[in-house]
Amino acid sequence: MQLPTLESRCKFGAMNGNRLTPWVEGTAEDLVADALALEVKASPRMVTSWIEDGLLANPEPRKTSAHGSDPRVFPREQRELFARLLEARKRSPLGRIPQRSLVRVVLYLWLIDDTVVLTPQARRALRTHARATGQTTAVRRRENIRAIVEQLAHPSASLKQRRAAQLVLEEGERTGRIDMDRLTAVLTELYSPWPVQPGMPRIERAVTGPFGPVTVQHHIAMWKARQQTIRRLRHEEIDELELDRVRAVFRSDWADYQARRPALATIGAGEFAAYFAEPDTMEGRAIEAVDAFVSTLAGELGLIEAASHAAETARLRLAR
């Protein structure tokens, strides 16, 4: 997926016959006409659906007479955004870009710019993104969780230990409920699959990461915090002022990370370079930025700290 850079917004034109004209505000009917000009099937109902999902902003009222109002209009930035998203979807080699990919691009624009996507639209887009998160087939969910299990598992972990971890993770993904004690028990055995010796403390490993050792409690805390954040976004429990505040925090942190990225890729003689590789597509950059924002949101809401405390408490109970 490739969209125009933000610096070029509104410098593009819409084709009117063979004449290139500047983007101007337009009604829902104008947007439908734009889509048909791109040979994309569209209808007013499609435009309404895009508004509901956060792919478009709400149109604005335009009163031009004392006795009534003209149809609501979309700002020129939104009209161009609609066309560019349709063009990107049309260019896709897959034939159709999934809506969740388009939503992430809209959120990416909100994260890096203040003029195209405004926060009320972004809040709806975050709801759509959250609703799509984890919604997949049972087969795909099992495949994804199996990959996570293999990533966490020590080579000595038995098939039984791997299976137990997979079942607990599948249940958590399916129901959205996390039994911290049970999750801690099965993932600790997966991560550190050595029998506990009588009278001796349990030996637990930590995997080397670019920023230091990573324990199983870290993985549990991040998973729980992200699930709670996604649930709040799904139910629109985070207001626009809070989203704006966290976006400002994210922008500062993200700018610092981008500046340090090349140096971070050299940590440990480059053994962690893959962690810091930059995506080379718009969709890849959107996925990375939106995921990072969700993590920032989880931290700013205090969910990571609370989940870390819960994970450590579960670890201490397991150690008794």
Side-chain angles (χ1 to χ4, degrees), residues 66 100 120 124 156-157 166 171 218 221 259 266:
R100 62 180 178 272
R124 295 196 305 275
S156 300
Q166 182 162 340
E171 182 180 355
H218 169 80
T266 66

Side-chain angles (χ1 to χ4, degrees), residues 14-22:
M15 292 304 297
N16 182 3
N18 293 321
R19 183 168 61 87
L20 194 66
T21 61

Side-chain angles (χ1 to χ4, degrees), residues 3-304:
L3 292 177
T5 59
L6 286 173
E7 290 76 16
S8 64
R9 65 179 179 276
C10 300
K11 297 178 183 177
F12 292 87
M15 292 304 297
N16 182 3
N18 293 321
R19 183 168 61 87
L20 194 66
T21 61
W23 287 101
V24 296
E25 63 184 19
T27 64
E29 287 74 17
D30 292 326
L31 268 62
V32 170
D34 292 341
L36 295 177
L38 293 170
E39 299 181 346
V40 176
K41 292 182 180 179
S43 66
R45 184 175 180 179
M46 172 187 170
V47 173
T48 300
S49 176
W50 277 40
I51 294 170
E52 176 66 19
D53 292 337
L55 289 167
L56 285 172
N58 283 313
E60 301 170 356
R62 182 181 59 175
K63 188 174 180 63
T64 58
S65 72
H67 304 290
S69 299
D70 285 346
R72 290 174 175 259
V73 294
F74 294 89
R76 58 180 183 172
E77 295 88 354
Q78 287 286 314
R79 186 175 179 181
E80 181 177 6
L81 174 63
F82 178 70
R84 297 308 179 194
L85 290 173
L86 290 179
E87 287 174 342
R89 190 173 68 174
K90 186 178 177 182
R91 286 196 302 267
S92 170
L94 301 176
R96 185 178 186 277
I97 296 175
Q99 187 188 54
R100 62 180 178 272
S101 297
L102 298 180
V103 167
R104 281 192 294 254
V105 170
V106 168
L107 289 171
Y108 178 59
L109 295 178
W110 173 70
L111 287 171
I112 65 176
D113 185 79
D114 291 325
T115 59
V116 178
V117 177
L118 303 184
T119 304
Q121 177 186 353
R123 191 182 184 206
R124 295 196 305 275
L126 283 165
R127 179 193 62 197
T128 302
H129 170 69
R131 287 177 176 176
T133 300
Q135 288 189 354
T136 183
T137 65
V139 172
R140 177 63 62 85
R141 184 165 52 243
R142 282 195 296 271
E143 291 175 351
N144 292 340
I145 290 176
R146 188 179 297 115
I148 292 172
V149 168
E150 291 306 314
Q151 180 183 4
L152 297 180
H154 186 275
S156 300
S158 67
L159 181 61
K160 181 179 179 181
Q161 289 167 328
R162 294 167 195 258
R163 180 60 178 163
Q166 182 162 340
L167 290 175
V168 172
L169 288 172
E170 284 180 1
E171 182 180 355
E173 286 290 325
R174 185 179 66 255
T175 65
R177 294 189 296 271
I178 300 175
D179 183 332
M180 289 295 288
D181 288 345
R182 186 180 174 207
L183 180 64
T184 297
V186 297
L187 289 189
T188 297
E189 287 197 3
L190 181 75
Y191 215 67
S192 307
W194 306 291
V196 179
Q197 300 299 323
M200 298 290 291
R202 185 184 190 100
I203 299 176
E204 295 187 32
R205 74 177 176 123
V207 177
T208 303
F211 301 113
V214 181
T215 65
V216 71
Q217 280 72 38
H218 169 80
H219 292 291
I220 293 172
M222 291 303 298
W223 188 47
K224 180 178 177 64
R226 286 183 66 87
Q227 274 206 335
Q228 291 176 322
T229 304
I230 290 297
R231 182 188 61 77
R232 293 192 183 189
L233 291 172
R234 185 180 296 131
H235 297 289
E236 294 188 273
E237 295 175 1
I238 306 171
D239 63 36
E240 293 168 18
L241 287 177
E242 184 71 352
L243 290 175
D244 279 336
R245 183 190 71 80
V246 176
R247 179 177 60 166
V249 174
F250 166 82
R251 284 179 174 176
S252 176
D253 291 347
W254 193 246
D256 178 66
Y257 170 67
Q258 294 289 59
R260 297 170 55 213
R261 200 167 189 161
L264 292 172
T266 66
I267 292 176
E271 63 177 304
F272 301 109
Y275 284 73
F276 307 106
E278 288 197 66
D280 56 4
T281 65
M282 166 66 88
E283 185 176 9
R285 292 191 293 273
I287 291 172
E288 181 184 60
V290 173
D291 284 349
F293 174 75
V294 171
S295 294
T296 301
L297 187 58
E300 288 295 309
L301 294 176
L303 298 176
I304 293 177

